[in-house]
Each structure stands twice: as C-alpha cells, then as structure tokens.
PDB file of all heavy atoms in Angstrom:
ATOM      1  N   LEU L   1     128.015 -99.560  70.760  1.00 96.00           N
ATOM      2  CA  LEU L   1     127.536-100.200  71.985  1.00 96.00           C
ATOM      3  C   LEU L   1     127.149-101.647  71.700  1.00 96.00           C
ATOM      4  O   LEU L   1     127.575-102.566  72.406  1.00 96.00           O
ATOM      5  CB  LEU L   1     126.342 -99.435  72.562  1.00 96.00           C
ATOM      6  CG  LEU L   1     126.578 -97.973  72.958  1.00 96.00           C
ATOM      7  CD1 LEU L   1     125.313 -97.378  73.558  1.00 96.00           C
ATOM      8  CD2 LEU L   1     127.729 -97.843  73.938  1.00 96.00           C
ATOM      9  N   HIS L   2     126.343-101.851  70.677  1.00 94.00           N
ATOM     10  CA  HIS L   2     125.883-103.199  70.352  1.00 94.00           C
ATOM     11  C   HIS L   2     127.055-104.087  69.938  1.00 94.00           C
ATOM     12  O   HIS L   2     127.098-105.270  70.301  1.00 94.00           O
ATOM     13  CB  HIS L   2     124.829-103.142  69.249  1.00 94.00           C
ATOM     14  CG  HIS L   2     123.541-102.527  69.694  1.00 94.00           C
ATOM     15  ND1 HIS L   2     122.603-103.217  70.433  1.00 94.00           N
ATOM     16  CD2 HIS L   2     123.031-101.284  69.522  1.00 94.00           C
ATOM     17  CE1 HIS L   2     121.577-102.432  70.702  1.00 94.00           C
ATOM     18  NE2 HIS L   2     121.808-101.249  70.161  1.00 94.00           N
ATOM     19  N   ASN L   3     127.991-103.530  69.190  1.00 95.00           N
ATOM     20  CA  ASN L   3     129.141-104.313  68.735  1.00 95.00           C
ATOM     21  C   ASN L   3     130.026-104.773  69.894  1.00 95.00           C
ATOM     22  O   ASN L   3     130.776-105.739  69.764  1.00 95.00           O
ATOM     23  CB  ASN L   3     129.984-103.503  67.743  1.00 95.00           C
ATOM     24  CG  ASN L   3     129.252-103.243  66.445  1.00 95.00           C
ATOM     25  OD1 ASN L   3     128.296-103.944  66.096  1.00 95.00           O
ATOM     26  ND2 ASN L   3     129.673-102.220  65.714  1.00 95.00           N
ATOM     27  N   ASN L   4     129.939-104.056  71.006  1.00 95.00           N
ATOM     28  CA  ASN L   4     130.740-104.410  72.180  1.00 95.00           C
ATOM     29  C   ASN L   4     129.882-104.989  73.307  1.00 95.00           C
ATOM     30  O   ASN L   4     130.326-105.054  74.462  1.00 95.00           O
ATOM     31  CB  ASN L   4     131.491-103.172  72.681  1.00 95.00           C
ATOM     32  CG  ASN L   4     132.640-102.777  71.772  1.00 95.00           C
ATOM     33  OD1 ASN L   4     133.732-103.333  71.866  1.00 95.00           O
ATOM     34  ND2 ASN L   4     132.394-101.827  70.864  1.00 95.00           N
ATOM     35  N   ASN L   5     128.666-105.415  72.952  1.00 95.00           N
ATOM     36  CA  ASN L   5     127.749-106.047  73.922  1.00 95.00           C
ATOM     37  C   ASN L   5     127.480-105.161  75.128  1.00 95.00           C
ATOM     38  O   ASN L   5     127.488-105.617  76.281  1.00 95.00           O
ATOM     39  CB  ASN L   5     128.313-107.397  74.375  1.00 95.00           C
ATOM     40  CG  ASN L   5     128.492-108.370  73.226  1.00 95.00           C
ATOM     41  OD1 ASN L   5     127.579-108.556  72.424  1.00 95.00           O
ATOM     42  ND2 ASN L   5     129.665-108.975  73.126  1.00 95.00           N
ATOM     43  N   ILE L   6     127.245-103.885  74.844  1.00 97.00           N
ATOM     44  CA  ILE L   6     126.961-102.910  75.888  1.00 97.00           C
ATOM     45  C   ILE L   6     125.543-102.389  75.693  1.00 97.00           C
ATOM     46  O   ILE L   6     125.114-102.118  74.577  1.00 97.00           O
ATOM     47  CB  ILE L   6     127.962-101.740  75.844  1.00 97.00           C
ATOM     48  CG1 ILE L   6     129.374-102.247  76.167  1.00 97.00           C
ATOM     49  CG2 ILE L   6     127.560-100.629  76.811  1.00 97.00           C
ATOM     50  CD1 ILE L   6     130.461-101.243  75.874  1.00 97.00           C
ATOM     51  N   GLU L   7     124.831-102.249  76.788  1.00 95.00           N
ATOM     52  CA  GLU L   7     123.456-101.745  76.737  1.00 95.00           C
ATOM     53  C   GLU L   7     123.333-100.485  77.585  1.00 95.00           C
ATOM     54  O   GLU L   7     123.884-100.410  78.687  1.00 95.00           O
ATOM     55  CB  GLU L   7     122.480-102.805  77.243  1.00 95.00           C
ATOM     56  CG  GLU L   7     121.022-102.388  77.147  1.00 95.00           C
ATOM     57  CD  GLU L   7     120.056-103.462  77.604  1.00 95.00           C
ATOM     58  OE1 GLU L   7     120.526-104.553  77.986  1.00 95.00           O
ATOM     59  OE2 GLU L   7     118.834-103.207  77.591  1.00 95.00           O
ATOM     60  N   LEU L   8     122.629 -99.504  77.055  1.00 95.00           N
ATOM     61  CA  LEU L   8     122.316 -98.300  77.820  1.00 95.00           C
ATOM     62  C   LEU L   8     121.006 -98.530  78.560  1.00 95.00           C
ATOM     63  O   LEU L   8     119.973 -98.758  77.939  1.00 95.00           O
ATOM     64  CB  LEU L   8     122.199 -97.090  76.891  1.00 95.00           C
ATOM     65  CG  LEU L   8     121.690 -95.787  77.521  1.00 95.00           C
ATOM     66  CD1 LEU L   8     122.588 -95.340  78.671  1.00 95.00           C
ATOM     67  CD2 LEU L   8     121.584 -94.688  76.466  1.00 95.00           C
ATOM     68  N   LYS L   9     121.061 -98.508  79.871  1.00 91.00           N
ATOM     69  CA  LYS L   9     119.864 -98.700  80.688  1.00 91.00           C
ATOM     70  C   LYS L   9     119.534 -97.407  81.417  1.00 91.00           C
ATOM     71  O   LYS L   9     120.422 -96.765  81.982  1.00 91.00           O
ATOM     72  CB  LYS L   9     120.075 -99.827  81.709  1.00 91.00           C
ATOM     73  CG  LYS L   9     120.194-101.218  81.068  1.00 91.00           C
ATOM     74  CD  LYS L   9     120.342-102.287  82.134  1.00 91.00           C
ATOM     75  CE  LYS L   9     120.379-103.681  81.523  1.00 91.00           C
ATOM     76  NZ  LYS L   9     119.072-104.061  80.939  1.00 91.00           N
ATOM     77  N   LEU L  10     118.272 -97.040  81.402  1.00 86.00           N
ATOM     78  CA  LEU L  10     117.834 -95.840  82.101  1.00 86.00           C
ATOM     79  C   LEU L  10     117.463 -96.187  83.534  1.00 86.00           C
ATOM     80  O   LEU L  10     117.213 -97.345  83.871  1.00 86.00           O
ATOM     81  CB  LEU L  10     116.651 -95.216  81.367  1.00 86.00           C
ATOM     82  CG  LEU L  10     116.882 -94.930  79.878  1.00 86.00           C
ATOM     83  CD1 LEU L  10     115.667 -94.229  79.281  1.00 86.00           C
ATOM     84  CD2 LEU L  10     118.140 -94.099  79.665  1.00 86.00           C
ATOM     85  N   CYS L  11     117.406 -95.173  84.381  1.00 78.00           N
ATOM     86  CA  CYS L  11     117.181 -95.418  85.802  1.00 78.00           C
ATOM     87  C   CYS L  11     115.866 -96.132  86.090  1.00 78.00           C
ATOM     88  O   CYS L  11     115.731 -96.788  87.118  1.00 78.00           O
ATOM     89  CB  CYS L  11     117.239 -94.102  86.580  1.00 78.00           C
ATOM     90  SG  CYS L  11     118.927 -93.553  86.903  1.00 78.00           S
ATOM     91  N   ASN L  12     114.882 -96.003  85.197  1.00 74.00           N
ATOM     92  CA  ASN L  12     113.595 -96.660  85.422  1.00 74.00           C
ATOM     93  C   ASN L  12     113.500 -98.034  84.767  1.00 74.00           C
ATOM     94  O   ASN L  12     112.446 -98.659  84.777  1.00 74.00           O
ATOM     95  CB  ASN L  12     112.448 -95.766  84.932  1.00 74.00           C
ATOM     96  CG  ASN L  12     112.554 -95.431  83.450  1.00 74.00           C
ATOM     97  OD1 ASN L  12     113.533 -95.801  82.795  1.00 74.00           O
ATOM     98  ND2 ASN L  12     111.565 -94.728  82.920  1.00 74.00           N
ATOM     99  N   ASP L  13     114.604 -98.521  84.193  1.00 77.00           N
ATOM    100  CA  ASP L  13     114.592 -99.861  83.610  1.00 77.00           C
ATOM    101  C   ASP L  13     114.393-100.908  84.708  1.00 77.00           C
ATOM    102  O   ASP L  13     114.922-100.768  85.817  1.00 77.00           O
ATOM    103  CB  ASP L  13     115.908-100.149  82.870  1.00 77.00           C
ATOM    104  CG  ASP L  13     115.931 -99.514  81.486  1.00 77.00           C
ATOM    105  OD1 ASP L  13     114.970 -98.808  81.159  1.00 77.00           O
ATOM    106  OD2 ASP L  13     116.899 -99.735  80.739  1.00 77.00           O
ATOM    107  N   GLU L  14     113.662-101.969  84.380  1.00 73.00           N
ATOM    108  CA  GLU L  14     113.297-102.974  85.372  1.00 73.00           C
ATOM    109  C   GLU L  14     114.506-103.656  86.002  1.00 73.00           C
ATOM    110  O   GLU L  14     114.500-103.987  87.182  1.00 73.00           O
ATOM    111  CB  GLU L  14     112.384-104.033  84.741  1.00 73.00           C
ATOM    112  CG  GLU L  14     110.994-103.510  84.391  1.00 73.00           C
ATOM    113  CD  GLU L  14     110.103-104.603  83.840  1.00 73.00           C
ATOM    114  OE1 GLU L  14     110.588-105.750  83.716  1.00 73.00           O
ATOM    115  OE2 GLU L  14     108.936-104.324  83.539  1.00 73.00           O
ATOM    116  N   ASN L  15     115.553-103.898  85.213  1.00 72.00           N
ATOM    117  CA  ASN L  15     116.691-104.659  85.718  1.00 72.00           C
ATOM    118  C   ASN L  15     117.634-103.857  86.604  1.00 72.00           C
ATOM    119  O   ASN L  15     118.564-104.412  87.174  1.00 72.00           O
ATOM    120  CB  ASN L  15     117.491-105.252  84.553  1.00 72.00           C
ATOM    121  CG  ASN L  15     116.741-106.382  83.878  1.00 72.00           C
ATOM    122  OD1 ASN L  15     115.822-106.951  84.452  1.00 72.00           O
ATOM    123  ND2 ASN L  15     117.131-106.709  82.660  1.00 72.00           N
ATOM    124  N   LEU L  16     117.408-102.549  86.702  1.00 73.00           N
ATOM    125  CA  LEU L  16     118.247-101.723  87.574  1.00 73.00           C
ATOM    126  C   LEU L  16     117.605-101.606  88.948  1.00 73.00           C
ATOM    127  O   LEU L  16     116.383-101.528  89.078  1.00 73.00           O
ATOM    128  CB  LEU L  16     118.443-100.334  86.975  1.00 73.00           C
ATOM    129  CG  LEU L  16     119.384-100.210  85.780  1.00 73.00           C
ATOM    130  CD1 LEU L  16     119.479 -98.756  85.347  1.00 73.00           C
ATOM    131  CD2 LEU L  16     120.769-100.746  86.095  1.00 73.00           C
ATOM    132  N   SER L  17     118.448-101.578  89.972  1.00 70.00           N
ATOM    133  CA  SER L  17     117.932-101.414  91.325  1.00 70.00           C
ATOM    134  C   SER L  17     117.255-100.047  91.456  1.00 70.00           C
ATOM    135  O   SER L  17     117.804 -99.030  91.021  1.00 70.00           O
ATOM    136  CB  SER L  17     119.075-101.523  92.335  1.00 70.00           C
ATOM    137  OG  SER L  17     118.629-101.129  93.622  1.00 70.00           O
ATOM    138  N   PRO L  18     116.069 -99.993  92.069  1.00 69.00           N
ATOM    139  CA  PRO L  18     115.402 -98.696  92.288  1.00 69.00           C
ATOM    140  C   PRO L  18     116.213 -97.771  93.182  1.00 69.00           C
ATOM    141  O   PRO L  18     115.989 -96.563  93.204  1.00 69.00           O
ATOM    142  CB  PRO L  18     114.066 -99.089  92.938  1.00 69.00           C
ATOM    143  CG  PRO L  18     114.293-100.458  93.503  1.00 69.00           C
ATOM    144  CD  PRO L  18     115.274-101.118  92.584  1.00 69.00           C
ATOM    145  N   LEU L  19     117.180 -98.343  93.916  1.00 67.00           N
ATOM    146  CA  LEU L  19     118.021 -97.523  94.781  1.00 67.00           C
ATOM    147  C   LEU L  19     118.862 -96.536  93.977  1.00 67.00           C
ATOM    148  O   LEU L  19     119.276 -95.504  94.501  1.00 67.00           O
ATOM    149  CB  LEU L  19     118.932 -98.413  95.628  1.00 67.00           C
ATOM    150  CG  LEU L  19     118.242 -99.319  96.659  1.00 67.00           C
ATOM    151  CD1 LEU L  19     119.264-100.217  97.337  1.00 67.00           C
ATOM    152  CD2 LEU L  19     117.499 -98.488  97.687  1.00 67.00           C
ATOM    153  N   LEU L  20     119.115 -96.860  92.693  1.00 72.00           N
ATOM    154  CA  LEU L  20     119.932 -95.978  91.865  1.00 72.00           C
ATOM    155  C   LEU L  20     119.311 -94.598  91.739  1.00 72.00           C
ATOM    156  O   LEU L  20     120.007 -93.581  91.740  1.00 72.00           O
ATOM    157  CB  LEU L  20     120.137 -96.594  90.476  1.00 72.00           C
ATOM    158  CG  LEU L  20     121.018 -95.814  89.500  1.00 72.00           C
ATOM    159  CD1 LEU L  20     122.434 -95.682  90.040  1.00 72.00           C
ATOM    160  CD2 LEU L  20     121.036 -96.479  88.131  1.00 72.00           C
ATOM    161  N   SER L  21     117.994 -94.559  91.634  1.00 72.00           N
ATOM    162  CA  SER L  21     117.313 -93.268  91.472  1.00 72.00           C
ATOM    163  C   SER L  21     117.236 -92.488  92.785  1.00 72.00           C
ATOM    164  O   SER L  21     116.823 -91.331  92.789  1.00 72.00           O
ATOM    165  CB  SER L  21     115.899 -93.481  90.924  1.00 72.00           C
ATOM    166  OG  SER L  21     115.133 -94.274  91.817  1.00 72.00           O
ATOM    167  N   GLU L  22     117.652 -93.124  93.894  1.00 73.00           N
ATOM    168  CA  GLU L  22     117.572 -92.469  95.191  1.00 73.00           C
ATOM    169  C   GLU L  22     118.901 -91.859  95.640  1.00 73.00           C
ATOM    170  O   GLU L  22     118.955 -91.177  96.661  1.00 73.00           O
ATOM    171  CB  GLU L  22     117.095 -93.473  96.252  1.00 73.00           C
ATOM    172  CG  GLU L  22     115.687 -93.996  95.988  1.00 73.00           C
ATOM    173  CD  GLU L  22     115.253 -95.023  97.015  1.00 73.00           C
ATOM    174  OE1 GLU L  22     115.947 -95.137  98.060  1.00 73.00           O
ATOM    175  OE2 GLU L  22     114.243 -95.705  96.790  1.00 73.00           O
ATOM    176  N   ILE L  23     119.970 -92.112  94.872  1.00 74.00           N
ATOM    177  CA  ILE L  23     121.259 -91.539  95.272  1.00 74.00           C
ATOM    178  C   ILE L  23     121.293 -90.050  94.967  1.00 74.00           C
ATOM    179  O   ILE L  23     120.440 -89.534  94.240  1.00 74.00           O
ATOM    180  CB  ILE L  23     122.440 -92.246  94.563  1.00 74.00           C
ATOM    181  CG1 ILE L  23     122.423 -91.940  93.050  1.00 74.00           C
ATOM    182  CG2 ILE L  23     122.423 -93.732  94.821  1.00 74.00           C
ATOM    183  CD1 ILE L  23     123.657 -92.438  92.322  1.00 74.00           C
ATOM    184  N   SER L  24     122.284 -89.370  95.509  1.00 75.00           N
ATOM    185  CA  SER L  24     122.445 -87.951  95.234  1.00 75.00           C
ATOM    186  C   SER L  24     122.761 -87.737  93.754  1.00 75.00           C
ATOM    187  O   SER L  24     123.683 -88.356  93.219  1.00 75.00           O
ATOM    188  CB  SER L  24     123.580 -87.390  96.096  1.00 75.00           C
ATOM    189  OG  SER L  24     123.881 -86.057  95.751  1.00 75.00           O
ATOM    190  N   ASP L  25     121.983 -86.906  93.094  1.00 74.00           N
ATOM    191  CA  ASP L  25     122.208 -86.572  91.691  1.00 74.00           C
ATOM    192  C   ASP L  25     122.319 -87.842  90.825  1.00 74.00           C
ATOM    193  O   ASP L  25     123.358 -88.107  90.220  1.00 74.00           O
ATOM    194  CB  ASP L  25     123.485 -85.742  91.548  1.00 74.00           C
ATOM    195  CG  ASP L  25     123.630 -85.141  90.150  1.00 74.00           C
ATOM    196  OD1 ASP L  25     122.600 -84.900  89.507  1.00 74.00           O
ATOM    197  OD2 ASP L  25     124.769 -84.930  89.723  1.00 74.00           O
ATOM    198  N   PRO L  26     121.252 -88.642  90.766  1.00 78.00           N
ATOM    199  CA  PRO L  26     121.321 -89.907  90.010  1.00 78.00           C
ATOM    200  C   PRO L  26     121.581 -89.673  88.526  1.00 78.00           C
ATOM    201  O   PRO L  26     121.182 -88.646  87.972  1.00 78.00           O
ATOM    202  CB  PRO L  26     119.938 -90.528  90.232  1.00 78.00           C
ATOM    203  CG  PRO L  26     119.047 -89.367  90.553  1.00 78.00           C
ATOM    204  CD  PRO L  26     119.903 -88.401  91.305  1.00 78.00           C
ATOM    205  N   PRO L  27     122.256 -90.609  87.877  1.00 82.00           N
ATOM    206  CA  PRO L  27     122.541 -90.449  86.445  1.00 82.00           C
ATOM    207  C   PRO L  27     121.272 -90.616  85.608  1.00 82.00           C
ATOM    208  O   PRO L  27     120.280 -91.186  86.076  1.00 82.00           O
ATOM    209  CB  PRO L  27     123.533 -91.583  86.161  1.00 82.00           C
ATOM    210  CG  PRO L  27     123.193 -92.629  87.167  1.00 82.00           C
ATOM    211  CD  PRO L  27     122.790 -91.876  88.405  1.00 82.00           C
ATOM    212  N   ILE L  28     121.329 -90.136  84.375  1.00 83.00           N
ATOM    213  CA  ILE L  28     120.206 -90.326  83.457  1.00 83.00           C
ATOM    214  C   ILE L  28     120.044 -91.806  83.144  1.00 83.00           C
ATOM    215  O   ILE L  28     118.946 -92.343  83.052  1.00 83.00           O
ATOM    216  CB  ILE L  28     120.446 -89.529  82.168  1.00 83.00           C
ATOM    217  CG1 ILE L  28     120.510 -88.037  82.488  1.00 83.00           C
ATOM    218  CG2 ILE L  28     119.376 -89.822  81.119  1.00 83.00           C
ATOM    219  CD1 ILE L  28     121.113 -87.187  81.380  1.00 83.00           C
ATOM    220  N   GLY L  29     121.167 -92.462  83.010  1.00 86.00           N
ATOM    221  CA  GLY L  29     121.197 -93.894  82.745  1.00 86.00           C
ATOM    222  C   GLY L  29     122.610 -94.401  82.935  1.00 86.00           C
ATOM    223  O   GLY L  29     123.520 -93.631  83.253  1.00 86.00           O
ATOM    224  N   VAL L  30     122.796 -95.700  82.778  1.00 92.00           N
ATOM    225  CA  VAL L  30     124.124 -96.284  82.903  1.00 92.00           C
ATOM    226  C   VAL L  30     124.356 -97.244  81.740  1.00 92.00           C
ATOM    227  O   VAL L  30     123.425 -97.848  81.209  1.00 92.00           O
ATOM    228  CB  VAL L  30     124.309 -97.034  84.245  1.00 92.00           C
ATOM    229  CG1 VAL L  30     124.307 -96.062  85.398  1.00 92.00           C
ATOM    230  CG2 VAL L  30     123.249 -98.111  84.434  1.00 92.00           C
ATOM    231  N   TYR L  31     125.616 -97.369  81.368  1.00 96.00           N
ATOM    232  CA  TYR L  31     126.028 -98.315  80.337  1.00 96.00           C
ATOM    233  C   TYR L  31     126.443 -99.607  81.026  1.00 96.00           C
ATOM    234  O   TYR L  31     127.224 -99.578  81.986  1.00 96.00           O
ATOM    235  CB  TYR L  31     127.182 -97.743  79.519  1.00 96.00           C
ATOM    236  CG  TYR L  31     126.796 -96.517  78.720  1.00 96.00           C
ATOM    237  CD1 TYR L  31     126.879 -95.238  79.281  1.00 96.00           C
ATOM    238  CD2 TYR L  31     126.349 -96.629  77.400  1.00 96.00           C
ATOM    239  CE1 TYR L  31     126.527 -94.111  78.554  1.00 96.00           C
ATOM    240  CE2 TYR L  31     125.996 -95.508  76.666  1.00 96.00           C
ATOM    241  CZ  TYR L  31     126.086 -94.259  77.243  1.00 96.00           C
ATOM    242  OH  TYR L  31     125.729 -93.134  76.524  1.00 96.00           O
ATOM    243  N   VAL L  32     125.930-100.722  80.532  1.00 96.00           N
ATOM    244  CA  VAL L  32     126.145-102.010  81.189  1.00 96.00           C
ATOM    245  C   VAL L  32     126.737-103.011  80.209  1.00 96.00           C
ATOM    246  O   VAL L  32     126.207-103.211  79.110  1.00 96.00           O
ATOM    247  CB  VAL L  32     124.820-102.575  81.749  1.00 96.00           C
ATOM    248  CG1 VAL L  32     125.055-103.939  82.395  1.00 96.00           C
ATOM    249  CG2 VAL L  32     124.206-101.609  82.748  1.00 96.00           C
ATOM    250  N   LYS L  33     127.830-103.643  80.617  1.00 97.00           N
ATOM    251  CA  LYS L  33     128.414-104.753  79.863  1.00 97.00           C
ATOM    252  C   LYS L  33     128.360-105.983  80.752  1.00 97.00           C
ATOM    253  O   LYS L  33     128.836-105.953  81.887  1.00 97.00           O
ATOM    254  CB  LYS L  33     129.865-104.460  79.472  1.00 97.00           C
ATOM    255  CG  LYS L  33     130.497-105.542  78.575  1.00 97.00           C
ATOM    256  CD  LYS L  33     131.911-105.152  78.184  1.00 97.00           C
ATOM    257  CE  LYS L  33     132.578-106.207  77.302  1.00 97.00           C
ATOM    258  NZ  LYS L  33     131.938-106.330  75.984  1.00 97.00           N
ATOM    259  N   GLY L  34     127.768-107.059  80.261  1.00 96.00           N
ATOM    260  CA  GLY L  34     127.613-108.261  81.055  1.00 96.00           C
ATOM    261  C   GLY L  34     126.176-108.439  81.500  1.00 96.00           C
ATOM    262  O   GLY L  34     125.245-107.934  80.873  1.00 96.00           O
ATOM    263  N   THR L  35     126.003-109.137  82.608  1.00 93.00           N
ATOM    264  CA  THR L  35     124.672-109.454  83.136  1.00 93.00           C
ATOM    265  C   THR L  35     124.526-108.872  84.533  1.00 93.00           C
ATOM    266  O   THR L  35     125.373-109.123  85.405  1.00 93.00           O
ATOM    267  CB  THR L  35     124.467-110.979  83.209  1.00 93.00           C
ATOM    268  OG1 THR L  35     124.680-111.545  81.918  1.00 93.00           O
ATOM    269  CG2 THR L  35     123.055-111.309  83.674  1.00 93.00           C
ATOM    270  N   LEU L  36     123.456-108.124  84.748  1.00 91.00           N
ATOM    271  CA  LEU L  36     123.216-107.572  86.079  1.00 91.00           C
ATOM    272  C   LEU L  36     122.616-108.658  86.966  1.00 91.00           C
ATOM    273  O   LEU L  36     121.483-109.097  86.729  1.00 91.00           O
ATOM    274  CB  LEU L  36     122.263-106.378  86.001  1.00 91.00           C
ATOM    275  CG  LEU L  36     122.837-105.099  85.401  1.00 91.00           C
ATOM    276  CD1 LEU L  36     121.728-104.060  85.231  1.00 91.00           C
ATOM    277  CD2 LEU L  36     123.946-104.543  86.280  1.00 91.00           C
TER     278      LEU L  36
END
C-alpha cells in the first residue's frame, strides 16, 4: 500500500465524508490513492 501511495482509511477517519457510514451496509474502510 505504502509503495503505491495508497492509504487505508476507516469510516471514522476525519478526511472521509460522514455520509459514508450512513449508506446501506457501509464498508469497514476504503483504500484511497491520491487526495480526497
């Protein structure tokens, strides 16, 4: 992940929209490449 500039972000991470945790069956986290 680090070698490919990818970060694992959890649903409660500050940079993720709180709306993510409100969808049906939200993921545990998401893998992000780039800048949110």
Side-chain angles (χ1 to χ4, degrees):
L1 300 182
H2 291 281
N3 293 339
N4 287 277
N5 300 311
I6 295 168
E7 183 178 359
L8 172 59
K9 292 182 177 292
L10 306 184
C11 280
N12 59 356
D13 280 4
E14 291 183 359
N15 289 341
L16 286 181
S17 170
L19 294 175
L20 182 62
S21 61
E22 297 178 13
I23 68 172
S24 173
D25 191 28
I28 297 164
V30 292
Y31 295 88
V32 178
K33 185 178 180 66
T35 304
L36 288 173

